[in-house]
Amino acid sequence: MSMSPNQGPTAGGTLVTFTGTNLAGTSAVMFGTKPASSIAQVSPTQVTAVSPAGAGTVQVTVATAGGTSNAVPFHYIGPPFLCSLSAASGPLGGGSVITLYGTELFTATSVRFGTRTAVPTVLTDRQITVTVPAGTAAGTVAVSVTTAGGTSNATTYTYVGAPTVTGFSPMLGSPSGGTAFTLTGTNLTGAQVTFSGVPATSVTVNAAGTSLTGTTPAGTGQATVEVTTAGGTASAPSRFTYTLQRAYVTNTGSGTVSVIDTATSTVTGTPITVGSNPRGVAFTPDGAHAYVANNGSATVSVIVTGAGAVTSTIPVAATPHGVAVTPAGTRAYVSHNGSTSLSVIDTATNTVLTSITVGSNPYGVTVAPDGARVYVTNQGSNSVSVISTATNTVTGTVPVGGSPRWVAFAPDGARAYVTNSGSGTVSVIDTATNTVTGTIPVGTTPYGVAFTTDGTHAYVANQGSNTVSVIDTTTNTVTGTLAVGTGPFALATA
């Protein structure tokens, strides 16, 4: 006589088939000293029965009117127990090979991840490996193992959505490293950031997993910026350029731009001649070009930073003032403070694509971190125009305080702070709804505003009161007022 299967759980309940000769009239099936239940005669050569509870290895016999059969061994297998996984999370698409640790795993036949199953490879009684199947949605699922001894307890595995990168700034920094950067996207929780394989330092991700900050490592040339999480790897849309750092200063009285080497804090070379009464200046993300708004000559000068010279002069409308370049570097937006217009420049051809009608006396221009919108402060109409960079149309107008000047975005792009020089306040705009959610009293005639890299504080230069206000962005309250020099105008944080 033989039987199949020859093993089962200690709790019993295994349907066993016995095959042999002279099995007709089977009256009992014994598993050691315990009788089986549910005996069924299939044919004179085949009988089925259900194993009782037991432990270890027992001898099984079949009894008929003709006597008792030969004995065959049946192995009772204890229920499996799952202790841990070598990786507790992985990409939503699956594909990771992980190890499961526990006991009684030698007869494992399947591993269940939520509603999906996979076939394991048994290494030992305490270890099995399995290729994680694709998940149905990002989130945590129960994991259990099925063996001949039953189904294990459950532990958890988290499916993580693949990260995406929608914005990165700045796109250039010092070869010695140490440049603070901000990266926006989705599914960034637990991210590591590398620059051509070299890890960034001090990486901090916000609670929503949509923004992170960090510090660049040392490097040369152009570096590919990659974000890696349990959900996979994504690259920034543009590469980061290691270059000697320069600061450009527009000299309104002389029609020139001075170049400062920030490593040595010295002015380098001779000033670059641009147009009359230059005001705003902005770099392309790769640092290769600078755009200068010449208020007195109705032009924009394009400087090739490597050569330190103007290579193109773009005629624009009268009184150009503020300049901002998109994170992709494809467009430059120029406000015209003496009118109601904003020029859009194609940086590939250095020509004006279109002119957008905004509010009265547009002043400050800032592009959102994701590059999708441009905010323009309208000094004469006490408002901020919201412009879609996809259509170059005004999609919203936000009323703010008196004579707004500058606007700055929080690192995650969720809020924008606008300084109102005429009312001594800062308006807080929710960029999802384009509504003012708070008004913060600061000093007299506020102009410049900038966030810390982690977005927890904002600093405001109060030109009329010779102070800087420190704002806690969690509570939107001023937590400190710092006395500075006379007439503070602009500021920046690092």
Side-chain angles (χ1 to χ4, degrees):
M1 181 190 70
S2 64
M3 67 179 174
S4 179
N6 67 351
Q7 58 188 14
T10 55
T14 302
L15 180 64
V16 180
T17 299
F18 300 90
T19 303
T21 58
N22 300 319
L23 298 182
T26 296
S27 57
V29 177
M30 299 298 292
F31 282 71
T33 60
K34 295 183 178 181
S37 60
S38 304
I39 299 171
Q41 190 79 53
V42 178
S43 71
T45 60
Q46 196 170 78
V47 174
T48 63
V50 175
S51 65
T57 299
V58 297
Q59 299 299 315
V60 182
T61 59
V62 173
T64 69
T68 300
S69 72
N70 60 301
V72 290
F74 182 87
H75 307 283
Y76 280 102
I77 300 172
F81 182 80
L82 198 54
C83 298
S84 62
L85 311 179
S86 62
S89 60
L92 181 59
S96 301
V97 178
I98 65 172
T99 302
L100 287 69
Y101 302 94
T103 59
E104 301 288 354
L105 302 179
F106 195 76
T107 59
T109 55
S110 67
V111 180
R112 192 173 184 87
F113 289 78
T115 60
R116 303 290 178 86
T117 58
V119 177
T121 297
V122 176
L123 302 179
T124 69
D125 193 48
R126 295 179 176 272
Q127 291 184 31
I128 59 176
T129 61
V130 68
T131 300
V132 179
T136 56
T140 300
V141 298
V143 180
S144 59
V145 178
T146 298
T147 71
T151 299
S152 73
N153 59 301
T155 187
T156 58
Y157 182 85
T158 301
Y159 283 105
V160 180
T164 65
V165 180
T166 56
F168 180 86
S169 65
M171 292 309 298
L172 70 164
S174 171
S176 61
T179 300
F181 66 86
T182 300
L183 185 149
T184 57
T186 60
N187 299 323
L188 301 179
T189 301
Q192 294 181 325
V193 183
T194 58
F195 288 69
S196 291
V198 181
T201 58
S202 304
V203 175
T204 302
V205 185
N206 70 346
T210 57
S211 175
L212 63 81
T213 58
T215 304
T216 62
T220 58
Q222 290 190 319
T224 299
V225 181
E226 291 186 324
V227 175
T228 300
T229 70
T233 298
S235 298
S238 301
R239 292 194 290 176
F240 179 84
T241 301
Y242 285 101
T243 182
L244 295 177
Q245 295 294 282
R246 299 287 187 263
Y248 277 27
V249 181
T250 55
N251 305 307
T252 59
S254 61
T256 60
V257 170
S258 294
V259 181
I260 297 173
D261 183 337
T262 59
T264 61
S265 296
T266 57
V267 176
T268 64
T270 58
I272 303 169
T273 299
V274 289
S276 172
N277 193 15
R279 299 288 182 92
V281 58
F283 289 96
T284 54
D286 61 4
H289 297 84
Y291 286 76
V292 180
N294 303 307
N295 189 266
S297 55
T299 59
V300 170
S301 297
V302 183
I303 299 173
V304 174
T305 57
V310 173
T311 59
S312 181
T313 300
I314 308 168
V316 293
T319 61
H321 184 82
V323 185
V325 179
T326 59
T330 57
R331 300 286 184 269
Y333 289 82
V334 181
S335 64
H336 298 275
N337 190 238
S339 66
T340 58
S341 68
L342 185 80
S343 293
V344 183
I345 295 174
D346 182 339
T347 59
T349 61
N350 283 330
T351 57
V352 175
L353 285 176
T354 187
S355 178
I356 305 170
T357 299
V358 290
S360 173
N361 295 334
Y363 194 90
V365 187
T366 307
V367 183
D370 62 4
R373 290 161 296 170
V374 176
Y375 278 28
V376 182
T377 58
N378 302 307
Q379 182 187 356
S381 54
N382 303 331
S383 64
V384 171
S385 295
V386 182
I387 296 166
S388 165
T389 57
T391 61
N392 284 324
T393 57
V394 175
T395 58
T397 301
V398 185
V400 290
S403 191
R405 297 288 181 158
W406 297 109
V407 57
F409 285 91
D412 62 3
R415 290 175 294 172
Y417 280 28
V418 179
T419 55
N420 304 305
S421 65
S423 56
T425 60
V426 170
S427 296
V428 182
I429 298 176
D430 181 334
T431 59
T433 60
N434 284 325
T435 57
V436 173
T437 58
T439 301
I440 307 169
V442 288
T444 305
T445 322
Y447 268 77
V449 56
F451 283 86
T452 54
T453 54
D454 62 4
T456 59
H457 292 83
Y459 291 81
V460 178
N462 304 306
Q463 188 185 40
S465 54
N466 303 329
T467 60
V468 169
S469 296
V470 183
I471 298 174
D472 182 332
T473 59
T474 303
T475 60
N476 281 332
T477 56
V478 174
T479 58
T481 302
L482 309 175
V484 291
T486 302
F489 188 83
L491 51 79
T493 59

